[in-house]
Amino acid sequence: MRLAGERGGEGANLSMCSRPRGLYKARVSDLLELAKIARELAAAFRQSPRRHGDRKRRRGHSVWSRGVHGHRPHYAARGRRLRIRGLLETLGGRRRQERRGDAEPRRGGDARWPWNDRSFRKAFAIQAPSQVPLKQGRSLMDWIRLTKSGKDLTGLKGRLIEVTEEELKKHNKKDDCWICIRGFVYNVSPYMEYHPGGEDELMRAAGSDGTELFDQVHRWVNYESMLKECLVGRMAIKPAVLKDYREEEKKVLNGMLPKSQVTDTLAKEGPSYPSYDWFQTNSLVTIAIYTKQKDINLDSIIVDHQDDSFRAETIIKDCLYLIHIGLSHEVQEDFSVRVVESVGKIEIVLKKKENTSWDFLGHPLENHNSLIPRKDTGTEIVKPYTPVSGSLLSEFKEPVLPNNKYIYFLIKIYHTGLFTPELDRLQIGDFVSVSSPEGNFKISKFQELEDLFLLAAGTGFTPMVKILNYALTDIPSLRKVKLMFFNKTEDDIIWRSQLEKLAFKDKRLDVEFVLSAPISEWNGKQGHISPALLSEFLKRNLDKSKVLVCICGPVPFTEQGVRLLQDLNFSKNEIHSFTA
Ligand code: NAP
């Protein structure tokens, strides 16, 4: 399992990916919770009795606490990259940010464009992309099919070229549109019709460097994978001004400085092998990795240490450079990672447990100091999931680390889907990547709340789990909680007995099950969400009681529900719809 840190963003997002990308900055509290999330993910997905709880794993952030990772057998790549970003609608008091992005989500199943989900976009977008209806045959799957068809999408017959700024500027028309993202130039003309944000949005970056725009709108998208068949080449590099980094090394007390860390790494690219070095102060040990590659960033490094075993993976082009050492002395759990991007140097600073001088760093472990090719793992897919509690009957607790070691998901496997069958095939020892949690649900909505109504359909029940836990535990003003839970059949009702027990235990809770395809013996409510069902169900406790209605389910269900709620005179502030 791998946690993907998130850089530059606001809240904490939960996601999984097999490759570190799209990182945002997260708060310490968020990051701490992530360790828990990752550990729990391991339990949830692997259902393994093996515990990984003590293992720390970080990428590129001084407080980035990496959760779990099992033993990765020889970097075996899975057939498809998985990246799940969850809307962690937990109520742990984390900062939540209201983001813009009001376009309605599109309908669709697992294979839809994930950014069509409003809250999914919201989670990432500083500025939400406008949504345009895509033509028939222009879905994500269609795009993937096209990219795998062998069609020459760049017009260069597979040749990669070096693109000058002048050249880039020339390609600024819809039928000839090149865009540079992080130094790589893509011909996005073939992609225009597949772009959920529409052609106009892409054209905003036509013939120019679209990195900033891209980062504003959907930095989480794995464009490298999505657009890899559109790659034209790299931007021609302007000569860099050399800077003297030797100043930085004055603190070195011990160890060999690399021969050429300054000049080599700035200007040169190419086959030069990465190297590492270490040095120490009284209290710190710094391991420096010289990637010999410009523009390396925090996303490129994953550090993992447990007891005396230290491991750092650095992604260098198509390879992983691995430092794997049995440390000679104990270090504290806490460590930090720093990158000097312009020279491709990574510094991992470990804190000594005892302030003694180390004679040597440690002994090499498997694959230490080796450059390992990364296998092509196909297309990356991103899906958001809402973590739930371990049980409905447990009281809500503020996330506390490091003792909380599990995260729970309720994931329905759609056998014809693109993503969940891959999850279903995960084996113990496989890896998924997790980014930081995200959500736009504000805990302040509960303040002084008297009536809470929850409308859930199918797995749309998941956000309600923590809401129920929290509301019944922590909101003294609450008089009534009513859940209306829509499912096809009785068998589909998630956690039915727990819900019934909870309702029995806490008289403030009423639960109503509504089935759309019940057996004839069913004597409960039947049908779909409707004005009749809602008007009867959504009775306020008192005329003016403060009320909140949360709704989650299939997108059309949620959309219809919100319309009905508005018809029933619930204000915007009184409705929260989960739409990812
Ligand atoms: P499902 O079993 O297909 O449907 C659950 C119930 O909703 C069924 O009774 C179904 O009726 C009804 N329903 C479906 N479409 C409807 C519509 N257009 N109008 C009225 N009722 C409708 O649900 P599921 O497969 O578990 O899917 C749950 C959905 O919730 C997924 O799309 C998932 O992405 C979403 N979700 C969102 C979040 C979030 O935003 N945080 C979290 C979890 C889940 P029929 O029997 O007639 O189909």
Side-chain angles (χ1 to χ4, degrees):
M1 175 161 308
R2 171 172 295 181
L3 270 173
E6 304 252 322
R7 195 160 61 94
E10 281 281 313
N13 302 303
L14 172 66
S15 76
M16 279 191 273
C17 66
S18 64
R19 199 167 67 121
R21 281 208 69 260
L23 305 191
Y24 299 84
K25 205 174 285 164
R27 280 179 153 196
V28 175
S29 56
D30 296 327
L31 294 167
L32 288 176
E33 175 144 15
L34 279 167
K36 182 191 80 167
I37 288 167
R39 290 178 186 122
E40 291 179 349
L41 265 170
F45 284 113
R46 296 178 192 148
Q47 297 173 342
S48 161
R50 198 171 72 194
R51 283 174 59 128
H52 306 278
D54 295 324
R55 200 156 178 109
K56 291 279 169 198
R57 187 170 175 81
R58 296 175 191 194
R59 179 186 302 121
H61 194 285
S62 59
V63 287
W64 187 249
S65 184
R66 295 287 159 198
V68 190
H69 97 119
H71 301 289
R72 174 156 38 184
H74 308 297
Y75 295 88
R78 289 187 55 75
R80 183 180 284 160
R81 281 184 193 134
L82 299 180
R83 194 150 81 105
I84 305 170
R85 191 189 57 66
L87 299 180
L88 188 61
E89 307 286 358
T90 54
L91 305 158
R94 284 183 307 276
R95 171 180 45 174
R96 285 175 183 83
Q97 191 195 24
E98 285 287 10
R99 294 168 203 251
R100 282 179 272 148
D102 291 318
E104 285 306 310
R106 289 165 48 79
R107 293 169 185 215
D110 266 9
R112 68 190 173 185
W113 295 98
W115 45 88
N116 284 334
D117 290 334
R118 183 169 56 180
S119 53
F120 188 66
R121 279 199 321 274
K122 274 186 171 181
F124 284 91
I126 292 166
Q127 186 185 340
S130 55
Q131 296 288 296
V132 296
L134 296 176
K135 288 185 198 158
Q136 193 80 23
R138 294 293 182 271
S139 69
L140 168 63
M141 280 311 295
D142 294 314
W143 173 249
I144 291 171
R145 256 180 239 122
L146 178 64
T147 58
K148 296 202 182 311
S149 68
K151 196 171 169 194
D152 177 12
L153 297 182
T154 59
L156 295 169
K157 300 194 171 74
R159 202 163 45 93
L160 293 179
I161 60 171
E162 201 163 77
V163 183
T164 60
E165 271 181 35
E166 294 68 37
E167 182 66 28
L168 179 64
K169 277 185 199 153
K170 288 182 201 162
H171 301 270
N172 60 359
K173 294 169 211 69
K174 275 190 185 166
D175 58 352
D176 177 19
C177 178
W178 290 9
I179 291 177
C180 168
I181 307 176
R182 291 190 229 298
F184 288 91
V185 179
Y186 299 88
N187 175 6
V188 295
S189 293
Y191 178 64
M192 289 272 174
E193 293 192 339
Y194 298 80
H195 184 235
E199 299 180 354
D200 291 345
E201 190 186 273
L202 274 182
M203 285 305 292
R204 287 169 66 195
S208 66
D209 188 335
T211 309
E212 209 178 307
L213 188 65
F214 176 86
D215 281 349
Q216 276 176 19
V217 179
H218 31 225
R219 118 190 72 209
W220 52 275
V221 171
N222 182 6
Y223 64 93
E224 291 131 305
S225 166
M226 200 75 81
L227 295 178
K228 72 179 172 198
E229 298 305 323
C230 300
L231 183 64
V232 169
R234 290 187 80 129
M235 284 302 288
I237 298 164
K238 288 185 187 160
V241 182
L242 294 184
K243 186 178 162 191
D244 192 349
Y245 283 88
R246 275 167 295 199
E247 271 302 300
E248 286 181 19
E249 308 298 347
K250 281 188 177 158
K251 59 179 182 263
V252 174
L253 298 178
N254 184 3
M256 320 136 289
L257 277 173
K259 295 136 239 134
S260 53
Q261 83 265 27
V262 178
T263 48
D264 272 0
T265 45
L266 253 182
K268 282 188 198 163
E269 287 185 311
S272 49
Y273 206 84
S275 63
Y276 80 101
D277 193 4
W278 72 286
F279 45 93
Q280 62 182 316
T281 64
N282 201 29
S283 57
L284 304 174
V285 168
T286 300
I287 298 172
I289 299 171
Y290 304 95
T291 65
K292 314 250 170 86
Q293 179 174 304
K294 274 177 34 140
D295 298 332
I296 210 91
N297 58 37
L298 289 170
D299 305 5
S300 315
I301 172 96
I302 293 179
V303 179
D304 191 358
H305 82 87
Q306 182 185 32
D307 305 327
D308 67 341
S309 156
F310 173 88
R311 181 185 172 106
E313 292 171 13
T314 310
I315 296 172
I316 302 176
K317 295 187 177 148
D318 292 332
C319 292
L320 278 176
Y321 177 61
L322 182 67
I323 300 291
H324 196 191
I325 297 166
L327 297 171
S328 63
H329 293 69
E330 281 190 284
V331 292
Q332 296 177 27
E333 283 196 348
D334 221 16
F335 60 88
S336 63
V337 183
R338 198 168 77 86
V339 173
V340 186
E341 292 192 12
S342 54
V343 295
K345 184 171 85 168
I346 294 162
E347 285 187 344
I348 302 151
V349 184
L350 306 172
K351 292 181 187 163
K352 291 178 180 176
K353 264 202 176 154
E354 285 171 17
N355 293 349
T356 51
S357 175
W358 294 17
D359 294 334
F360 64 105
L361 183 60
H363 55 274
L365 298 176
E366 190 188 1
N367 288 327
H368 171 60
N369 198 16
S370 55
L371 201 57
I372 301 161
R374 296 160 72 215
K375 300 208 176 106
D376 181 10
T377 51
T379 307
E380 185 172 271
I381 309 168
V382 182
K383 282 292 279 184
Y385 282 100
T386 311
V388 297
S389 311
S391 154
L392 261 182
L393 301 168
S394 56
E395 297 219 320
F396 178 81
K397 289 191 189 77
E398 283 280 332
V400 183
L401 277 177
N403 296 327
N404 280 351
K405 290 186 177 128
Y406 300 95
I407 188 166
Y408 298 91
F409 287 102
L410 277 167
I411 296 179
K412 179 171 172 178
I413 306 299
Y414 296 85
H415 292 287
T416 53
L418 200 62
F419 189 78
T420 52
E422 288 295 324
L423 280 182
D424 200 27
R425 279 193 280 274
L426 286 176
Q427 300 291 318
I428 292 169
D430 285 347
F431 289 79
V432 289
S433 297
V434 183
S435 79
S436 46
E438 181 64 61
N440 64 352
F441 188 91
K442 292 204 163 168
I443 203 166
S444 57
K445 283 180 186 283
F446 286 114
Q447 259 168 25
E448 310 298 326
L449 192 69
E450 292 168 281
D451 286 321
L452 175 62
F453 297 109
L454 306 175
L455 304 173
T459 57
F461 172 63
T462 53
M464 311 305 175
V465 172
K466 288 205 171 181
I467 287 179
L468 274 172
N469 281 149
Y470 178 71
L472 292 172
T473 310
D474 274 18
I475 310 296
S477 54
L478 200 71
R479 292 166 196 266
K480 200 78 203 162
V481 184
K482 290 178 82 177
L483 167 71
M484 185 168 263
F485 194 3
F486 297 82
N487 285 281
K488 279 185 204 299
T489 68
E490 277 183 87
D491 287 347
D492 296 321
I493 302 174
I494 300 162
W495 284 1
R496 177 178 180 177
S497 73
Q498 284 200 45
L499 277 168
E500 286 170 343
K501 276 187 198 147
L502 189 61
F504 182 76
K505 191 176 120 191
D506 194 322
K507 296 297 168 215
R508 292 172 300 169
L509 174 65
D510 284 346
V511 181
E512 186 104 67
F513 300 117
V514 183
L515 300 183
S516 50
I519 52 167
S520 52
E521 287 79 20
W522 173 251
N523 51 19
K525 290 227 157 35
Q526 300 190 18
H528 290 109
I529 192 164
S530 67
L533 276 178
L534 292 195
S535 55
E536 186 196 327
F537 180 72
L538 299 168
K539 292 256 160 50
R540 291 172 197 248
N541 207 24
L542 295 170
D543 267 358
K544 289 194 175 158
S545 58
K546 189 179 171 196
V547 67
L548 178 67
V549 190
C550 297
I551 180 163
C552 186
V555 173
F557 164 91
T558 307
E559 286 174 349
Q560 193 190 346
V562 170
R563 277 195 300 273
L564 293 175
L565 291 169
Q566 285 163 350
D567 292 347
L568 289 168
N569 291 326
F570 286 93
S571 70
K572 218 175 154 192
N573 285 341
E574 291 173 329
I575 304 171
H576 183 87
S577 62
F578 295 86
T579 48

